[in-house]
Amino acid sequence: MRVPRHVAIIMDGNGRWAGARALPRPAGHRAGIKPVRMCIEKSAERGVEVLTLFAFSSENWKRPVSEVGLLMQLFLESLDREIEELSKRGIRVRFIGAREQLAPAVVASMASAEALTRDNQGLTVVIAFGYGGRWDIVGAARRLAVACRDGTLQPEQIDEARFGQELSIGELPDPDLFIRTGGEQRISNFLLWNLAYTELWFTDTLWPAFGADDYAAALDGFAERERRFGRTQAAGIDAC
Ligand code: IPE
Ligand code: IPE
Ligand code: MG
């Protein structure tokens, strides 16, 4: 069965999951940790190479201070609790997003998790935290502009491949499969450039309720898709 090399997930619906149970929103965020573990485990089992998880967007800063604080605390706690076990399992962890706005303790934990797992050879888990697709593209454009100004790059040398290298996920393959839980059918400023030819999978299941069967259904659904990348049918199949 065809397995996506890179799966990217918008983990949405925590608040609604909690609301439906008359619980406060933080309870939904806490319950959202279990499916993260499951997706990491199943991705490694199935031979997925990269799993990118959207945990906090550049727009999520606009949420009430109390919710932002809770999300930061939960992120820090979970990372510190899980990182050694993840590393023992050969998982490499990377973070993408703007770190300037984050508390020093959060930035320090991210850096040590990346350093600890850098040489691991298993599944790469990319956590998008404080990430926005437009932020990513603007950052790449700015770095390329600076290189041109400094004379280390010529404008003619900028092509899609060079531009892509400058983005946060850089050398990693573009996502093959995108999953969004929680029923909304939008990209919400996730990996705008990299999702150009990604297969999209939307499910109404709220993130805390996303189980192994739901993930398997998305992976199985991907295997059924015919990817053409703009080519004709037969050529598209050859290209996969
Ligand atoms: C996703 O769940 C988690 C984050 C965006 C951090 P939400 O908090 O967006 O939950 P809903 O969409 O309001 O249910
Ligand atoms: C997208 O969910 C961001 C994350 C899951 C981290 P949102 O809940 O923030 O997206 P919108 O506001 O519904 O588009
Ligand atoms: Mg949401």
Side-chain angles (χ1 to χ4, degrees):
M1 201 176 79
R2 191 152 46 91
V3 175
R5 287 183 71 192
H6 184 172
V7 179
I9 308 182
I10 297 189
M11 312 183 287
D12 194 26
N14 295 351
R16 281 164 286 159
W17 182 90
R21 284 159 186 76
L23 294 167
R25 289 177 62 86
H29 295 310
R30 286 186 198 285
I33 294 169
K34 194 173 153 201
V36 170
R37 285 202 200 97
M38 179 278 291
C39 285
I40 293 175
E41 193 181 311
K42 295 293 166 195
S43 298
E45 258 176 48
R46 289 254 199 162
V48 170
E49 291 168 40
V50 185
L51 173 67
T52 299
L53 300 170
F54 205 3
F56 190 81
S57 76
S58 43
E59 287 70 35
N60 289 150
W61 286 109
K62 296 175 193 159
R63 293 188 179 199
V65 174
S66 57
E67 176 154 344
V68 170
L70 180 279
L71 287 166
M72 294 291 150
Q73 189 194 334
L74 201 57
F75 173 75
L76 190 58
E77 275 172 23
S78 316
L79 181 60
D80 290 349
R81 189 181 56 233
E82 311 276 340
I83 194 63
E84 282 188 22
E85 178 59 28
L86 290 173
S87 187
K88 275 186 204 146
R89 284 157 52 196
I91 289 162
R92 182 172 22 210
V93 178
R94 267 176 66 165
F95 300 93
I96 57 171
R99 298 195 194 184
E100 302 81 56
Q101 289 159 281
L102 300 172
V106 175
V107 177
S109 267
M110 285 171 153
S112 73
E114 286 177 329
L116 178 70
T117 64
R118 185 167 23 229
D119 297 325
N120 289 350
Q121 299 295 313
L123 172 74
T124 295
V125 175
V126 179
I127 300 174
F129 198 80
Y131 177 86
R134 289 181 173 177
W135 163 86
D136 202 357
I137 292 171
V138 168
R142 186 179 299 155
R143 284 187 293 278
L144 292 169
V146 168
C148 287
R149 183 193 62 196
D150 296 348
T152 54
L153 182 73
Q154 297 305 313
E156 303 73 41
Q157 293 174 295
I158 302 172
D159 56 11
E160 290 186 14
R162 182 68 191 79
F163 198 95
Q165 279 167 19
E166 211 56 50
L167 293 164
S168 299
I169 62 167
E171 77 295 349
L172 297 174
D174 284 336
D176 301 292
L177 173 63
F178 160 99
I179 299 171
R180 182 172 186 144
T181 63
E184 312 294 357
Q185 303 205 352
R186 54 179 173 250
I187 305 290
S188 298
N189 200 16
F190 198 21
L191 300 157
L192 296 180
W193 171 282
N194 309 89
L195 290 172
Y197 260 106
T198 304
E199 297 295 325
L200 307 179
W201 179 274
F202 296 98
T203 171
D204 289 339
T205 304
L206 303 170
W207 178 250
F210 190 72
D213 290 353
D214 298 300
Y215 191 34
L219 292 169
D220 294 347
F222 171 81
E224 305 278 302
R225 299 273 179 98
E226 185 187 84
R227 305 186 76 189
R228 287 194 287 278
F229 301 98
R231 299 182 178 95
T232 54
Q233 196 172 14
I237 291 166
D238 285 344
C240 283

